[in-house]
Amino acid sequence: SPSPAMALPYCYRTMVSGLRGRSFLTIQNYTPHEISFLIDLSRKLKQRKDQERHYGVQGNLLAGLNIVLIFDKVSTRTRCSFEIAVNDEGGGVTFLSGSHMGQKESVEDTAIVLGKMYDGIEFRGFAHEDVERIADHAKVPVWNGLTNLHHPTQALADFMTAAEYIDKPFHEMKIVFVGDAANNVAYSLMITAAKLGAKFVALCPPTRRPEMDIVRMVREAYGGTVECYDIAARKQALAGADVVYTDVWVSMGEEHLFDERIKELQPYQVDVSMMMDTQNENCKFLHCLPAFHDLHTSVGRHVHEKYGLQAMECSDEVFRSERSVVFEQAANRVHTIKAVMVATVGHLARRAPDSLDQLAITG
């Protein structure tokens, strides 16, 4: 049965059979019940890993399966999470970077070849159309590790973390995304919030609001509550927030936009006063990382020398505060990614024939 944080019940057997063989390209393709199941499965797999360590046993939910990871865009958390998740459950993993795909060999041909060699394919890159084309031709499950439009595995980790730290169901939560709300992280977070019934608020400049087509889709297709405010209405936007979330102001490949983004977004830095405006002492701070919260990176030092900023999207004080759960959020990427793979290609039905409770390890 689902954990108390899950507002949506589900039938375990229906979830197991319904997710088998599916790709995970965007949260849009999954029902609220399926999302709830994946988050609950993630939490169970996290508990299971602790038990495996205690008893010194190897997981087997991906045993005998081979997974390939295609990275056209660099990564720390996503790559490590996929590799650890596969290794934890006894599978084999190949990291593929700098392939011929799209250059000497078409996306279609590459997808067909890899689909015949591997049981599942992860893709992290730029155009969302690329991961869709891979899924169309590979004939095995394909998982989106990030594209310019969506970051669905991140959103699962975000809501898993919220479930761990906020003592209320998702449909009672208020999520405030601060800064550049027209990016892939914000979109996936907004869609997931709508599916699970959480209220989503974007506190951002008018130029960085979510695209209206996506907002309209979230409101009309999923009945989601989406509100947008600029900095003049920050107190209204932040009041009662359970989560304050931010992301970098300039994404990979957008370094030429630093001048423009700093001018637009500097008033939107998440600092202590902004957290106090939530009027909620239990409000948590989330960030998908990496974060420019100090001068301990070359980019941070460059920005400091050119613009005089000690930090960008969040202050160091907030980042290191007790409200911040960013490192647990990052660690949860392993468990949510593992859940997606186990549910779509793994041995879940054979290993746990009746319920998630049977995933527990016994000595």
Side-chain angles (χ1 to χ4, degrees), residues 258-275:
F258 261 117
D259 286 344
E260 173 187 327
R261 293 290 173 79
I262 286 176
K263 182 178 179 181
E264 289 179 312
L265 295 169
Q266 190 171 348
Y268 294 85
Q269 182 188 87
V270 178
D271 57 14
V272 172
S273 67
M274 189 172 284
M275 295 300 295

Side-chain angles (χ1 to χ4, degrees), residues 11-21 37 343 348-350 352:
C11 171
Y12 173 81
R13 297 295 296 171
T14 299
M15 292 297 105
V16 171
S17 61
L19 294 176
R20 181 80 179 169
F37 172 77
L348 190 58
R350 177 173 60 83

Side-chain angles (χ1 to χ4, degrees), residues 34-341:
E34 289 169 341
I35 298 167
S36 289
F37 172 77
L38 286 174
I39 296 171
D40 213 36
L41 175 59
S42 303
R43 299 182 73 182
K44 179 60 69 173
L45 290 171
K46 184 176 183 177
Q47 176 187 357
R48 186 174 184 266
K49 181 168 181 173
D50 289 339
Q51 294 172 330
E52 287 169 349
R53 285 172 170 167
H54 177 75
Y55 291 110
V57 298
Q58 169 71 52
N60 60 3
L61 295 175
L62 296 172
L65 302 180
N66 289 298
I67 307 300
V68 61
L69 313 179
I70 305 173
F71 277 76
D72 286 351
K73 203 171 190 178
V74 297
S75 167
T76 298
R77 280 151 293 280
T78 303
R79 176 184 175 178
C80 293
S81 295
F82 269 99
E83 291 197 6
I84 291 169
V86 175
N87 290 329
D88 278 352
E89 296 301 332
V93 62
T94 301
F95 176 76
L96 188 61
S97 180
S99 72
H100 296 307
M101 188 175 71
Q103 300 174 34
K104 290 184 177 181
E105 186 173 33
S106 69
V107 172
E108 177 182 350
D109 292 355
T110 303
I112 293 171
V113 169
L114 294 179
K116 290 183 178 297
M117 293 180 173
Y118 291 92
D119 300 288
I121 301 171
E122 180 273 352
F123 174 81
R124 178 184 176 95
F126 295 89
H128 189 73
E129 292 77 11
D130 286 344
V131 76
E132 291 178 330
R133 282 201 293 270
I134 294 171
D136 286 342
H137 298 289
K139 308 304 180 186
V140 297
V142 175
W143 311 297
N144 180 3
L146 176 143
T147 62
N148 285 349
L149 193 56
H150 296 286
H151 199 359
T153 62
Q154 179 67 57
L156 286 182
D158 298 339
F159 275 88
M160 176 185 174
T161 307
E164 290 178 329
Y165 286 93
I166 300 169
D167 189 22
K168 60 174 65 173
F170 290 136
H171 70 271
E172 295 180 7
M173 291 185 191
K174 178 179 178 179
I175 315 292
V176 180
F177 189 94
V178 183
D180 180 7
N183 71 13
N184 49 11
V185 171
Y187 287 151
S188 291
L189 191 71
M190 178 172 62
I191 294 167
T192 309
K195 293 258 187 174
L196 296 177
K199 182 177 182 178
F200 180 88
V201 174
L203 177 56
C204 58
T207 53
R208 302 309 302 164
R209 286 187 174 185
E211 291 185 15
M212 278 310 301
D213 287 346
I214 296 179
V215 173
R216 191 177 301 110
M217 177 269 295
V218 166
R219 288 171 174 166
E220 295 176 0
Y222 312 136
T225 301
V226 179
E227 299 175 357
C228 298
Y229 298 91
D230 63 22
I231 200 65
R234 61 177 269 178
K235 290 185 180 295
Q236 181 180 354
L238 290 162
D242 297 292
V243 169
V244 172
Y245 197 125
T246 193
D247 191 7
V248 295
W249 292 344
V250 175
S251 298
M252 286 180 283
E254 296 181 338
E255 288 78 9
H256 61 288
L257 296 175
F258 261 117
D259 286 344
E260 173 187 327
R261 293 290 173 79
I262 286 176
K263 182 178 179 181
E264 289 179 312
L265 295 169
Q266 190 171 348
Y268 294 85
Q269 182 188 87
V270 178
D271 57 14
V272 172
S273 67
M274 189 172 284
M275 295 300 295
M276 291 181 65
D277 281 344
T278 66
Q279 303 173 41
N280 178 7
E281 62 182 11
N282 296 316
C283 179
K284 300 303 180 185
F285 172 72
L286 270 64
H287 193 307
C288 56
L289 304 182
F292 296 113
H293 59 97
D294 57 23
L295 302 180
H296 296 163
T297 65
S298 60
V299 173
R301 290 189 293 272
H302 169 74
V303 168
H304 174 64
E305 291 169 3
K306 187 171 182 179
Y307 304 99
L309 299 180
Q310 295 286 334
M312 282 189 273
E313 70 275 5
C314 62
S315 70
D316 192 53
E317 188 173 1
V318 167
F319 187 86
R320 299 180 188 277
S321 70
E322 291 185 357
R323 291 174 179 255
S324 175
V325 291
V326 298
F327 294 119
E328 192 64 32
Q329 176 190 4
N332 281 340
R333 296 290 308 284
V334 173
H335 311 298
T336 49
I337 283 171
K338 185 186 295 184
V340 169
M341 290 192 291

